Amino acid sequence: MISKPELEYLGVFEAERPGCKFSIDQRIGTYFYKGVLYASVGFACGLIGQGIANLIMTAKRSIKKSEGDIPVPPLVKSAVLCGVFLGVSSNTRYQIINGLERVVEALLVILDFQNHVFCMF
């Protein structure tokens, strides 16, 4: 069983440090752990955001009705979709970007650019 503190390092592609080695199980566990964290944040934000949108739509319709009104989206279904999106898509992108950063940092050290500052105009 992998404990929670072991899963809280940065990401799947985290570099090993002296005295801190990560197994494949820990790296896979981290992906799912971070996915659950992102999904819970997405669900909460979806509840708040869609709740506000539904409130505004309902308030507008109580003041002025029109024939072209679309139905009010279901709150929980929208929140679940936001959670799934953040848990899967955003988490995967987060892990890939962290892995690419690690590769670029290693290349900069190899090429001895660590003391140089580059500005893109």
Side-chain angles (χ1 to χ4, degrees):
M1 177 81 185
I2 300 170
S3 66
K4 182 180 170 189
E6 293 173 337
L7 297 176
E8 289 183 348
Y9 61 88
L10 276 179
V12 174
F13 301 109
E14 178 73 16
E16 294 182 345
R17 298 176 298 277
C20 190
K21 304 234 183 268
F22 303 111
S23 69
I24 296 296
D25 288 340
Q26 288 173 315
R27 292 181 187 276
I28 292 170
T30 295
Y31 178 79
F32 289 107
Y33 175 75
K34 295 284 186 173
V36 169
L37 288 179
Y38 276 105
S40 60
V41 168
F43 181 75
C45 291
L47 275 178
I48 294 167
Q50 192 62 50
I52 291 170
N54 287 0
L55 183 67
I56 292 170
M57 290 174 74
T58 306
K60 178 189 170 263
R61 290 178 183 174
S62 67
I63 296 170
K64 177 185 169 188
K65 296 193 186 275
S66 72
E67 294 179 20
D69 284 342
I70 61 170
V72 176
L75 179 63
V76 175
K77 183 178 178 182
S78 297
V80 167
L81 289 175
C82 286
V84 168
F85 173 75
L86 280 182
V88 176
S89 178
S90 296
N91 180 40
T92 302
R93 284 183 282 137
Y94 165 81
Q95 298 297 338
I96 290 170
I97 295 298
N98 277 342
L100 290 174
E101 281 181 357
R102 182 174 165 223
V103 169
V104 169
E105 286 175 1
L107 285 175
L108 290 178
V109 169
I110 290 170
L111 298 173
D112 196 30
F113 287 136
Q114 61 190 354
N115 295 324
H116 295 81
V117 178
F118 291 95
C119 296
M120 297 179 71
F121 298 99

